[in-house]
């Protein structure tokens, strides 16, 4: 009984401790819950902040893209590039004002129409309001940009004068004054060519990269095996392999081998296919053609053909490859690419179509690089040609005599006098312009030379337009005459078929051509050929006029490279321009003395003979044979003589037939 109260007290104390402990646990749990809630709130805030930052970045990227697009549109509409001087700034300003005015007028007309198509009457008035705003804003913007460009040009004029005196050149791509070095330009062209070949290697399109471990997949590799090269071989490797193998099987080297000629011909055909990019691409994809006629176009090398056609071998170091040859080569390659695109569309291969589109873009870049290389090579040749004068190894009289001797040799070729006149005038005018601006009072002599040069360019353009009209007219006339002959043949065929029943039809079909048309008799064929030949002089006149303009344009770039070469000081450049002037003056005078203003394009028989020999020469070179200019000129004489004899004999036969019919 005495211990009972203590038990009660102990129990009460224990209960109080348990209650305190429970109370303490509750406080801890509450703290933990509060801490977890705080952490959740912090996490939610971080996620919200991250989301907002991401949205902000996306908005900024979108705005940047829109700004870039707006800048591109603005730059395409208004001229904002750095002007060279006051004249360039004034020209740029006028262009911006004109473009802004035209764009405003177009917007005023186009916006209401576009609005009406999208939203009816409401859209029309909305578009009208937008158009009115654009019609006001765009011209005002053009005026502001134009004034800004003019101001920039005036400010840059001082720098332009100073840079010109130092012999610097304006870089149109970088929009800054730089020192130009011809040798550095040569290295840059070589680097660009190497990069181009490297890109072709990566794409595996033209066989570059003969050293790769895995060969390109082709449908047939017979021609590669004949030459002993990889399917990834470069054009240089193919050429080297061909000459190596050709020496082994040449008929002259193997007199005891009865099959040497056949082997040599097969080797030449394989080289002809693989050395031409379009024909090689077709061979890689489709294998060898069923007949040799299918790849005949690949055997016609435009550069060789037109070099023989116009006899430009001796002047090629001065003018490079003729424009008409480069254009023909580009057209042939483009036609090949278009055919590949058609084939890809039929096969529904997106990869092939993308590759062919890339090839077409590469053709344009390749043409630019080829023209640049052409100008550099011509500049190097002229620099080498005038080197004795520059080093004082020749006096001006001796140098003039050497130029005279060279010009007389060129004048003996078919189109030599015309080449001399064109080249000489261009070189002399460029030198006069450079020296005139550099040495005369206020550059008056330079302005006079430039005016003379511009007048000649205008005359050339008028000549091209006139020759183009004549060529089109002559071509249409020839086509109409040939069409008339064909209609006559059809009428004769119908008359013969309607009068004799089955036997008449059999007789008619016996005399029909494979295409279903009746064969021409001798008189009809002669008439059609005569009408086609009548258009030949007009077409050649147009081609020659365009070539003359191309020569003048190319030599302008060539002289610019020579006269601005910073490897020489100002006095050295003046001396170089004097040497070029002497060279041009001699060429021009010799060309004029041999009738250089009138190329012999009206002699149809002569031009036919040149065309036939040009085709034969390209065929021979495709087979690996060497043909020089003397050989081609002799072949042209023989072809012309044979044509005259055949014409004489044919005329005699026709007269004999006429007499027989009269009897």
């Amino acid at each position: 009984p005495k211990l009972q109260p203590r038990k009660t007290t102990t129990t009460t104390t224990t209960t109080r401790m348990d209650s305190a402990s429970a109370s303490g646990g509750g406080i801890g749990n509450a703290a933990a819950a509060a801490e977890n809630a705080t952490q959740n709130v912090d996490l939610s805030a971080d996620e919200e902040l991250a989301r907002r930052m991401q949205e902000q970045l996306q908005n900024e990227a979108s705005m940047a893209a829109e700004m870039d697009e707006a800048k591109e549109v603005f730059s395409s509409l208004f001229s904002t590039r750095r002007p060279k001087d006051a004249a360039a700034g004034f020209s740029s300003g006028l262009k911006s004002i004109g473009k802004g005015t035209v764009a405003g007028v177009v917007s005023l007309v186009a916006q209401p129409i576009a609005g009406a198509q999208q939203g009816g009457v409401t859209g029309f008035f909305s578009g009208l309001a937008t158009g009115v705003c654009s019609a006001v804003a765009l011209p005002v913007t053009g005026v502001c940009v134009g004034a800004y460009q003019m101001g920039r040009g005036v400010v840059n004029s001082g720098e332009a004068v100073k840079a010109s005196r130092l012999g610097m050149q304006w870089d149109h791509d970088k929009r800054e004054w730089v020192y130009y070095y011809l040798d550095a330009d040569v290295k840059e062209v070589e680097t660009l060519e190497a990069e181009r070949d490297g890109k072709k290697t990566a794409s595996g399109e033209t066989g570059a990269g003969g050293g790769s471990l895995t060969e390109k997949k082709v449908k047939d590799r017979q021609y590669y095996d004949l030459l002993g090269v990889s399917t990834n071989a470069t054009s240089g490797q193919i050429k080297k392999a061909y000459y190596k193998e050709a020496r082994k099987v040449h008929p002259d080297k193997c007199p005891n081998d009865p099959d040497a000629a056949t082997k040599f011909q097969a080797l030449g055909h394989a080289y002809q296919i693989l050395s031409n990019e379009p024909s090689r691409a077709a061979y890689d994809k489709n294998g060898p053609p069923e007949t040799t006629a299918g790849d005949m176009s690949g055997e016609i090398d435009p550069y060789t053909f037109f070099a023989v056609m116009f006899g430009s071998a001796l002047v090629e170091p001065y003018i490079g490859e003729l424009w008409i040859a480069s254009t023909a080569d580009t057209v042939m390659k483009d036609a090949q690419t278009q055919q590949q695109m058609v084939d890809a569309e039929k096969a529904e291969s997106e990869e092939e179509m993308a590759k062919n589109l890339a090839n077409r873009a590469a053709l344009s870049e390749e043409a630019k690089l080829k023209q640049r290389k052409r100008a550099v090579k011509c500049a190097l040749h002229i620099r080498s040609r005038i080197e004795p004068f520059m080093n004082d190894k020749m006096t001006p009289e001796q140098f003039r005599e050497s130029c005279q001797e060279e010009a007389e040799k060129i004048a003996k070729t078919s189109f030599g006098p015309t080449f001399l006149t064109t080249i000489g005038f261009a070189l002399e005018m460029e030198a006069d312009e450079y020296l005139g601006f550099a040495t005369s009072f206020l550059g008056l002599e330079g302005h006079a030379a430039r005016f003379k040069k511009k007048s000649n360019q205008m005359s050339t353009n008028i000549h091209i337009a006139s020759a183009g009209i004549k060529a089109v007219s002559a071509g249409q006339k020839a086509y109409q005459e040939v069409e008339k002959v064909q209609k006559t043949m059809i009428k004769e065929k119908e008359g013969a078929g309607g009068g004799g029943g089955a036997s008449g039809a059999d007789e008619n079909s016996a005399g029909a051509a494979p295409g279903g048309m009746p064969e021409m008799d001798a008189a009809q064929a002669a008439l059609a050929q005569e009408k086609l030949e009548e258009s030949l002089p007009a077409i050649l006149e147009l081609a020659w006029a365009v070539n003359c303009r191309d020569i003048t344009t190319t030599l302008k770039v060539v002289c610019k490279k020579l006269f601005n070469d910073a490897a020489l000081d100002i006095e050295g450049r003046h001396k170089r321009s004097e040497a070029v002037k002497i060279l041009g003056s001699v060429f021009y005078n010799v060309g004029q003395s041999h009738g250089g203003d009138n190329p012999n394009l009206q002699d149809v028989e002569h031009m036919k003979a040149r065309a036939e020999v040009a085709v034969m020469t390209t065929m021979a070179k495709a087979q690996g044979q060497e043909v020089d200019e003397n050989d081609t000129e002799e072949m042209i004489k023989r072809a012309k003589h044979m044509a005259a004899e055949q014409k004489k004999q044919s005329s005699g036969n026709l007269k004999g037939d006429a007499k027989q019919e009269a009897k």
Side-chain angles (χ1 to χ4, degrees):
K2 292 182 180 178
L3 293 176
Q4 189 64 33
R6 290 184 64 90
K7 290 183 179 179
T8 304
T9 304
T10 303
T11 303
T12 304
T13 304
T14 303
T15 302
R16 289 176 180 174
M17 292 177 62
D18 291 340
S19 299
S21 176
S23 176
I27 294 173
N29 292 335
E35 184 177 357
N36 290 334
T38 303
Q39 291 178 353
N40 291 334
V41 171
D42 292 340
L43 289 175
S44 300
D46 291 342
E47 291 177 356
E48 180 67 19
L49 181 60
R51 184 181 63 79
R52 290 179 180 179
M53 291 179 65
Q54 186 176 3
E55 290 180 354
Q56 184 177 356
L57 291 174
Q58 291 176 350
N59 292 334
E60 290 177 355
S62 178
M63 291 178 63
E66 292 177 359
M67 288 295 294
D68 291 339
E69 185 178 356
K71 287 180 180 179
E72 291 180 3
V73 174
F74 188 84
S75 298
S76 63
L77 185 59
F78 301 109
S79 179
T80 58
R81 298 191 304 169
R82 183 191 179 200
K84 174 183 175 182
D85 50 22
F90 187 75
S91 175
S92 176
L94 289 180
K95 289 180 182 178
S96 296
I97 294 172
K99 289 180 179 179
T101 303
V102 172
V105 173
V106 171
S107 179
L108 180 62
V109 175
Q111 289 289 352
I113 297 175
Q117 291 177 347
Q118 295 179 358
V121 177
T122 304
F124 172 81
F125 285 106
S126 177
L128 180 62
T130 304
V132 170
C133 294
S134 299
V136 175
L138 289 174
V140 171
T141 304
V143 171
C144 295
V145 173
Y148 173 67
Q149 288 294 98
M150 292 178 185
R152 291 177 73 189
V154 172
V155 172
N156 293 339
S157 295
E159 181 186 2
V161 173
K162 182 179 179 181
S164 297
R165 290 177 179 175
L166 293 174
M168 300 179 73
Q169 186 177 2
W170 178 254
D171 190 318
H172 291 277
D173 295 327
K174 297 180 180 178
R175 312 302 298 177
E176 62 183 11
W177 291 95
V178 297
Y179 285 104
Y180 170 80
Y181 294 90
L182 178 57
D183 292 327
D185 197 5
V186 173
K187 293 181 180 179
E188 186 175 350
V189 169
E190 292 174 350
T191 302
L192 290 174
E193 283 191 313
E195 291 178 356
R196 180 197 63 186
D197 293 339
K199 290 179 180 178
K200 290 179 178 180
T201 302
S203 61
E205 291 167 5
T206 59
S212 62
L213 297 176
T214 58
E215 292 198 348
K216 180 177 60 175
K217 292 183 179 180
V218 295
K219 186 171 184 178
D220 182 272
R221 56 174 299 128
Q222 175 186 356
Y223 293 163
Y224 292 100
D225 292 339
L226 263 176
L227 295 174
V229 296
S230 163
T231 56
N232 285 325
T234 64
S235 58
Q237 291 170 338
I238 290 174
K239 184 176 182 179
K240 184 177 180 180
Y242 167 70
Y243 284 121
K244 179 181 177 181
E245 296 297 326
R247 285 194 293 267
K248 296 179 181 179
V249 298
H250 196 283
D252 295 340
K253 302 289 185 180
C254 308
N256 298 325
D257 186 358
D259 299 328
T262 303
K263 294 177 182 178
F264 184 75
Q265 185 177 4
L267 192 68
H269 182 69
Y271 172 68
Q272 172 264 315
I273 292 294
L274 298 183
S275 62
N276 182 275
E277 290 186 11
S279 62
R280 182 180 179 180
Y283 171 72
D284 290 346
K285 182 178 180 180
N286 304 318
E290 296 180 359
T291 62
T292 57
D295 55 71
M296 188 67 70
S297 61
E299 296 181 3
I300 305 298
D301 179 13
Y303 298 104
T304 302
F305 178 85
F306 286 106
V308 175
M309 188 73 182
F310 292 113
S312 61
L314 290 179
V315 296
E316 184 174 336
Y318 290 97
I319 62 175
E321 296 165 339
L322 291 175
W323 169 88
I324 192 171
S326 300
T327 303
D329 182 61
T330 302
V331 169
M332 291 171 62
K333 289 181 178 179
D334 190 58
Q336 180 72 26
T337 302
Q338 288 181 354
Q339 183 61 44
Q340 292 174 357
M341 290 182 67
V342 172
D343 296 340
E345 288 178 358
K346 292 179 179 179
E348 296 183 354
S349 173
E350 294 184 0
E351 182 179 354
E352 287 292 329
M353 290 182 65
K355 185 185 295 184
N356 291 325
L357 287 172
N359 287 344
R360 295 192 67 177
L363 280 178
S364 176
E365 294 299 323
E366 186 175 352
K368 293 179 181 178
L369 179 59
K370 187 179 294 184
Q371 181 64 18
R372 181 178 175 183
K373 182 181 178 182
R374 173 190 178 187
V376 168
K377 288 179 65 177
C378 293
L380 289 176
H381 173 76
I382 295 177
R383 185 180 71 174
S384 175
R385 179 67 182 84
I386 64 178
E387 195 68 24
F389 178 85
M390 295 293 297
N391 295 336
D392 296 326
K393 293 181 180 180
M394 282 186 179
T395 63
E397 292 74 19
Q398 291 173 333
F399 179 66
R400 186 179 292 274
E401 289 176 2
S402 70
C403 295
Q404 182 85 18
E405 183 179 349
E406 182 182 8
E408 291 291 347
K409 184 178 179 181
I410 295 174
K412 294 178 181 178
T413 60
S414 295
F415 295 94
T418 308
F419 275 121
L420 287 172
T421 302
T422 306
I423 295 171
F425 182 84
L427 292 177
E428 190 174 5
M429 286 299 100
E430 294 299 334
D432 281 340
E433 182 180 359
Y434 176 80
L435 287 172
F437 281 117
T439 60
S440 65
F441 177 71
L442 296 178
L444 295 178
E445 294 181 6
H447 287 291
R450 179 173 292 180
F451 177 77
K452 188 175 181 180
K453 187 173 68 174
K454 294 289 185 182
S455 300
N456 182 71
Q457 290 176 357
M458 186 177 297
S459 176
T460 301
N461 291 335
I462 293 174
H463 184 202
I464 290 174
S466 174
I469 294 172
K470 290 180 182 178
V472 172
S473 177
Q476 289 179 344
K477 184 178 179 181
Y479 175 79
Q480 292 172 357
E481 293 293 340
V482 173
E483 191 178 33
K484 187 184 297 183
V485 172
Q486 290 178 341
K487 289 181 179 179
T488 303
M489 293 163 54
I490 293 174
K491 290 181 180 179
E492 292 177 356
K493 177 182 176 182
E494 292 176 349
S503 61
D506 293 339
E507 292 176 0
N508 184 42
S509 61
M517 294 290 293
E519 294 181 352
M520 290 185 181
D521 57 26
Q524 290 174 331
L527 177 62
Q529 183 176 357
E530 180 182 355
K531 296 302 180 182
L532 289 173
E533 290 174 356
E534 287 178 358
S535 64
L536 183 61
I539 296 173
L540 290 177
E541 183 181 0
L542 173 62
W544 187 255
V546 175
N547 271 335
C548 288
R549 185 178 67 176
D550 173 66
I551 291 171
T552 302
T553 304
T554 300
L555 289 178
K556 177 181 178 181
V557 178
V558 170
C559 289
K560 187 176 181 181
K561 293 179 180 296
L562 289 170
F563 302 157
N564 291 285
D565 187 3
L568 296 177
D569 57 16
I570 299 299
E571 293 181 359
R573 299 183 204 182
H574 291 174
K575 187 175 182 179
R576 179 179 282 181
S577 61
E578 290 172 359
V580 171
K581 182 178 180 179
I582 293 174
L583 178 65
S585 175
V586 172
F587 274 27
Y588 180 78
N589 291 332
V590 173
Q592 286 287 298
S593 65
H594 288 79
D597 287 335
N598 299 307
N600 184 21
L601 299 174
Q602 302 301 321
D603 189 347
V604 177
E605 295 301 326
H606 178 68
M607 298 310 300
K608 281 175 57 183
R610 297 196 73 87
E612 292 173 0
V613 173
V615 172
M616 289 189 290
T617 303
T618 56
M619 297 291 189
K621 288 192 174 184
Q623 297 296 329
Q625 302 178 27
E626 295 295 331
V627 184
D628 60 21
E629 187 178 10
N630 294 329
D631 295 333
T632 58
E633 291 299 328
E634 184 63 28
M635 291 167 64
I636 289 169
K637 291 179 181 178
R638 292 180 183 178
K640 188 176 179 181
H641 177 72
M642 291 176 60
E645 290 294 329
Q646 291 177 357
K647 188 175 182 180
K648 185 177 179 180
Q649 183 178 0
S650 176
S651 177
N653 293 337
L654 290 176
K655 289 181 179 179
D657 294 341
K659 289 181 180 180
Q660 188 68 26
E661 291 178 0
K663 290 180 180 180

